[in-house]
Amino acid sequence: MKILVINAGSSSLKFELFDATKELKSRLRGLAERIGEGEGIFHAADTEITAPIPDHQAAMRILKEYLEENAEKFGSPDEIRMVGHRVVHGGNTFVEPTLITNRVKEKIRSLFHLAPLHNPANLKGIEMAEKFFPAAKQVAVFDTAFHQSIPEREHRYAIPGTYYRQGIRQYGFHGISHQYVSRKAAELLGRNDLRLITLHLGNGASMAAVKNGKSMATTMGFGPLAGLVMGTRSGDIDPSVLLYLLRGGMSVDDLDKMLNKQSGLKALFGSNDMRDVEAGYASGDPKARLALNIYTGRIRKYIGAYMALLSGADALVFTAGIGEHSALVREKSVEGLDFAGIEIDKQKNQNPAKYGGEVQSARSKVKILVIPTREEQEIARQCLNLAHEIL
Ligand code: ADP
């Protein structure tokens, strides 16, 4: 038996194929990109196919054909008994991996307004997988689900209750990643009763306070704009600024574009790629220094906030593109936190893998871990657990 994981975005479709055993060995991963943009590209293992990929149906067909043609290497597509789909928004409804039925699809559709860029593509991925892998059970794993344990005192905004009843509250995202690295941290430290602060620093970025494996707070909110400074998103901003700009005549679409696409590191430095900021910092560029100080200052502020919320911390866990690869960001994010028992070993921090992912100093009371995130594997793991129950 095999599990196929699908992450369908608006113009891309990522996939990974796993053996459905405890080890969840990855057999194949790949990506169809530039869907609907004229010439598309399909990558899998060492294959690259350039062809028009007008829609998700075409992308899924190429994947199915690829699997059929390479059945000797990766096993027949008939062995795929479950397809796990990453679905961004599960609203208040979905707190765990969910077997897809017509009702579940309707519910995902009813949440389109909460994630207009993501949920429609995710649903397309589900419908196409139903079409091309009809013998497999389809399962949705939600990026918001892990954060559904956040208590009302944290997730509720102090605005009139009528809005809360309409679903306006904090949801949080990157849940699959925060959950994965929390579990890995527990395995690494050999215990489950942990107070963790997880930092997913990719193009999008968020932190979570995790107690005994449950999310207690996170930095993203109703949408993915709140909290940390990101590649092109602002992170926290006083809502008065938005009112001021709207009253000044800025259109809603322009404001949306400004906050989502033209802010963050891109606005502060000129590039949304942390590698460019690091290069600027190394050459003494004051803009890069400021961008990095704002970026890591926000992280430090939330480390403090989450230590207060958890009454301390056993470990910080850095993950995703920047968290895994930027020693400079890790170092600056914990600068001056020795008063709280957090101290990094600068040498270990240069090469975490060599030290089993632990980069705190010998004196540090709080562990500092670097754990590569594997969202597809987490989805597959949740599917496998469900498969044990239902298959
Ligand atoms: P996404 O959120 O799109 O999944 P990733 O988690 O892959 O993104 O993170 C992408 C970001 O990671 C890049 O924009 C880049 O800023 C950063 N990054 C990747 N490699 C490095 C590196 N070696 N050093 C510093 N930053 C890096």
Side-chain angles (χ1 to χ4, degrees):
M1 168 175 165
K2 295 207 163 35
I3 296 173
L4 176 67
V5 173
I6 297 285
N7 182 353
S10 56
S11 65
S12 70
L13 190 146
K14 284 192 207 159
F15 58 88
E16 187 160 354
L17 183 68
F18 295 90
D19 285 336
T21 55
K22 195 161 169 284
E23 295 71 32
L24 285 169
K25 184 169 182 281
S26 172
R27 299 296 299 265
L28 172 73
R29 60 200 296 195
L31 164 75
E33 58 181 342
R34 302 177 59 86
I35 296 175
E37 294 175 18
E39 211 70 88
I41 310 172
F42 175 86
H43 315 258
D46 46 14
T47 303
E48 193 175 295
I49 303 169
T50 305
I53 311 181
D55 51 25
H56 289 80
Q57 175 162 337
M60 200 70 82
R61 177 177 293 123
I62 296 176
L63 170 59
K64 176 82 182 285
E65 286 171 3
Y66 178 84
L67 291 172
E68 279 167 349
E69 281 161 22
N70 291 277
E72 270 185 26
K73 264 195 251 170
F74 307 116
S76 155
D78 298 338
E79 288 174 36
I80 298 170
R81 300 278 303 283
M82 208 173 238
V83 183
H85 298 267
R86 175 172 184 257
V87 179
V88 164
H89 217 306
N92 288 321
T93 310
F94 297 110
V95 298
E96 54 189 14
T98 304
L99 198 62
I100 301 282
T101 60
N102 283 337
R103 276 190 62 198
V104 170
K105 281 191 282 183
E106 264 326 296
K107 189 68 204 175
I108 293 172
R109 200 186 303 280
S110 77
L111 296 167
F112 276 8
H113 65 289
L114 290 177
L117 295 179
H118 295 103
N119 272 29
N122 301 155
L123 186 61
K124 271 270 161 52
I126 292 171
E127 287 169 347
M128 291 309 122
E130 287 177 330
K131 192 175 161 94
F132 287 95
F133 300 94
K137 300 269 186 222
Q138 309 289 329
V139 175
V141 177
F142 297 89
D143 219 16
T144 49
F146 182 56
H147 298 304
Q148 280 291 303
S149 52
I150 295 175
E152 186 172 347
R153 65 164 192 275
E154 273 298 322
H155 75 230
R156 186 153 175 178
Y157 296 124
I159 57 174
T162 172
Y163 301 108
Y164 186 58
R165 290 186 288 280
Q166 285 171 32
I168 296 181
R169 49 159 287 184
Q170 184 195 32
Y171 290 101
F173 301 90
H174 297 139
I176 296 165
S177 178
H178 288 292
Q179 186 167 12
Y180 175 82
V181 297
S182 301
R183 201 165 37 75
K184 283 281 156 191
E187 278 172 29
L188 196 69
L189 302 177
R191 43 186 274 233
N192 291 318
D193 58 330
L194 288 167
R195 297 157 302 171
L196 300 174
I197 299 175
T198 52
L199 302 94
H200 177 105
L201 310 177
N203 261 322
S206 66
M207 287 169 59
V210 180
K211 190 173 179 186
N212 305 338
K214 287 199 176 344
S215 177
M216 303 303 287
T218 191
T219 54
M220 282 182 170
F222 176 69
L225 268 176
L228 303 181
V229 176
M230 309 180 211
T232 61
R233 291 179 224 152
S234 62
D236 289 341
I237 182 170
D238 178 352
S240 317
V241 174
L242 318 186
L243 298 175
Y244 174 83
L245 292 172
L246 289 171
R247 285 210 183 92
M250 193 172 197
S251 74
V252 173
D253 285 346
D254 283 348
L255 185 56
D256 186 323
K257 194 163 151 203
M258 188 270 273
L259 294 169
N260 276 300
K261 303 249 189 270
Q262 300 167 337
S263 296
L265 292 175
K266 185 152 195 212
L268 297 171
F269 176 69
S271 161
N272 61 330
D273 193 317
M274 187 55 85
R275 284 165 289 204
D276 298 337
V277 182
E278 284 189 350
Y281 184 82
S283 67
D285 180 342
K287 260 180 146 177
R289 172 180 296 273
L290 180 66
L292 210 66
N293 283 342
I294 296 176
Y295 186 91
T296 55
R298 186 79 54 86
I299 292 174
R300 269 205 307 281
K301 190 170 87 172
Y302 274 109
I303 292 175
Y306 286 174
M307 285 188 83
L309 191 122
L310 295 169
S311 305
D314 297 298
L316 308 182
V317 189
F318 285 90
T319 195
I322 297 170
E324 290 165 31
H325 301 295
S326 176
L328 182 64
V329 166
R330 290 193 299 267
E331 183 183 323
K332 286 183 71 66
S333 295
V334 298
E335 210 166 61
L337 295 184
D338 45 328
F339 78 93
I342 301 176
E343 197 183 81
I344 204 159
D345 180 318
K346 289 187 185 174
Q347 193 214 329
K348 288 184 178 170
N349 185 41
Q350 294 302 319
N351 191 355
K354 193 170 159 199
Y355 301 95
E358 288 198 30
V359 301
Q360 73 281 354
S361 73
R363 274 207 320 221
S364 186
K365 291 206 182 76
V366 180
K367 305 259 189 199
I368 305 176
L369 309 178
V370 182
I371 300 181
T373 193
R374 294 284 281 110
E375 287 165 285
E376 284 77 16
Q377 199 188 81
E378 178 63 24
I379 293 172
R381 190 188 66 84
Q382 296 193 16
C383 285
L384 185 63
N385 289 345
L386 192 64
H388 288 322
E389 284 173 33
I390 63 170
L391 289 182

